[in-house]
């Protein structure tokens, strides 16, 4: 078994000036610093690549035993390099093997780019950054139950079409360019919903209200 490392071991194992690869799991809040880990992970559409772990797992949200057995067989057949692992995401439920093969190839290309930066860039430096909103939309939200995606920016629309063409060409028709004069958030009532979502006071049908205040240590809800 790997011996546990305590606080007193850290200065010996990681002396001042030693380079180390960290991934930020959560940004700083107030006076709290960011939460960091050495267990790196790179998320894809159907898989999460674990470069420094040989763990293989399936999302707990996939509960059907037959489906889990099928996905486990696919996961074990994937050509994952030695000493690397992967977690199959919830979006992988019901998908065919070629979807995972393609996703793994994309993740390996990303990891090779990260390794190249680790070897050649001078620390401190950012070697990997979570994709922007457009890429995350294609990766995480373009599922079979989504009928349409409206984009009111021509450049963003063309870029999303290009990204979708790489991973799921048949889904390109779901993306449409919104060109009406009325702002898209106003037409579909999104501005009002955002205002309500971030309001500290939530009115209830009974006539009462919830008042929500977030502090550094807790979230207070006054009824």
């Amino acid at each position: 078994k790997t011996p546990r490392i305590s606080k007193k071991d850290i200065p010996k194992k990681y002396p001042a000036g030693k380079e180390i690869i960290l991934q930020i799991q959560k940004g700083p809040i107030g006076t709290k610093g960011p939460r960091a880990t050495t267990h790196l992970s790179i998320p894809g559409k159907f898989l999460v690549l674990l470069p420094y772990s040989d763990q293989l797992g399936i999302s707990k949200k996939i509960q059907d035993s037959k489906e889990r057995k099928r996905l486990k067989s696919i996961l074990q057949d994937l050509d994952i390099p030695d000493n690397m692992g992967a977690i199959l995401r919830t979006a992988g439920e019901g998908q065919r093997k070629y979807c995972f093969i393609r996703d793994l190839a994309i993740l390996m290309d990303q990891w090779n780019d990260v390794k190249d930066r680790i070897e050649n860039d001078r620390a401190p430096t950012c070697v990997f950054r979570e994709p922007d909103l457009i890429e995350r939309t294609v990766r995480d939200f373009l599922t079979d139950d989504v009928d349409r995606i409206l984009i009111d920016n021509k450049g963003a629309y063309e870029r999303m079409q290009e990204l979708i063409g790489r991973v799921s060409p048949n889904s390109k028709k779901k993306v449409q360019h919104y060109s009406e004069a009325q702002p898209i958030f106003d037409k579909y009532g999104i501005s009002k919903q955002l205002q309500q979502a971030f309001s500290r006071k939530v009115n209830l049908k009974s006539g009462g209200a919830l008042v929500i205040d977030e502090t550094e240590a807790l979230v207070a809800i006054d009824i």
Side-chain angles (χ1 to χ4, degrees):
K1 293 183 178 180
T2 304
R4 291 195 60 169
I5 299 176
S6 63
K7 288 184 178 180
K8 65 180 181 180
D9 298 318
I10 292 177
K12 299 177 182 177
K13 191 171 183 63
Y14 303 106
K18 181 179 177 65
E19 290 186 10
I20 185 172
I21 308 300
L22 294 174
Q23 187 168 27
I24 304 301
Q25 289 183 315
K26 187 177 182 181
I29 301 177
T31 58
K32 287 186 177 179
R35 182 189 300 168
T37 179
T38 56
H39 296 286
L40 309 185
S41 61
I42 301 179
K45 186 174 180 62
F46 303 118
L47 298 169
V48 176
L49 184 67
L50 307 175
Y52 292 155
S53 170
D54 57 1
Q55 173 188 358
L56 294 177
I58 299 173
S59 170
K60 293 181 180 179
K61 293 182 180 180
I62 302 176
Q63 299 181 347
D64 183 85
S65 58
K66 289 185 179 179
E67 178 64 3
R68 290 186 67 87
K69 185 177 181 180
R70 183 186 75 88
L71 293 174
K72 183 179 180 181
S73 176
I74 291 175
L75 193 59
Q76 291 174 338
D77 286 343
L78 292 179
D79 189 19
I80 301 174
D82 293 338
N83 301 318
M84 296 180 70
I87 296 175
L88 195 147
R89 304 183 68 182
T90 309
E93 186 173 8
Q95 300 296 328
R96 296 184 179 181
K97 185 176 180 179
Y98 75 87
C99 296
F100 301 104
I101 295 174
R102 181 172 56 193
D103 203 38
L104 178 62
I106 294 172
L107 288 171
M108 288 304 304
D109 286 342
Q110 290 181 330
W111 173 240
N112 288 331
D113 290 341
V114 171
K115 285 198 302 181
D116 184 65
R117 295 190 190 102
I118 291 173
E119 294 171 0
N120 298 305
D121 292 2
R122 185 174 180 180
T125 185
C126 177
V127 296
F128 174 78
R129 191 182 299 276
E130 179 72 4
D132 61 15
L133 179 60
I134 294 176
E135 291 187 52
R136 292 201 309 272
T137 299
V138 174
R139 185 189 71 190
D140 297 336
F141 302 112
L142 190 64
T143 55
D144 293 337
D145 58 342
V146 172
D147 297 322
R148 184 173 57 155
I149 296 177
L150 288 178
I151 305 179
D152 61 352
N153 181 283
K154 187 67 174 178
Y157 165 76
E158 292 174 351
R159 184 170 169 231
M160 184 173 285
Q161 286 277 10
E162 180 186 354
L163 290 171
I164 293 175
R166 299 178 192 172
V167 297
S168 181
N170 293 332
S171 298
K172 291 178 69 174
K173 59 181 180 293
K174 293 184 178 182
V175 181
Q176 300 175 14
H177 181 233
Y178 179 87
S179 58
E180 297 182 22
Q182 184 181 10
I184 189 171
F185 274 26
D186 292 342
K187 177 167 183 175
Y188 293 97
I190 297 174
S191 298
K192 185 177 180 180
Q193 292 178 41
L194 287 172
Q195 186 178 5
Q196 292 174 342
F198 289 101
S199 174
R200 64 187 293 268
K201 185 175 181 180
V202 181
N203 293 314
L204 304 175
K205 292 181 179 180
S206 61
L210 301 178
V211 179
I212 304 171
D213 285 307
E214 183 177 1
T215 69
E216 192 170 322
L218 55 85
V219 176
I221 303 176
D222 187 19
I223 302 176

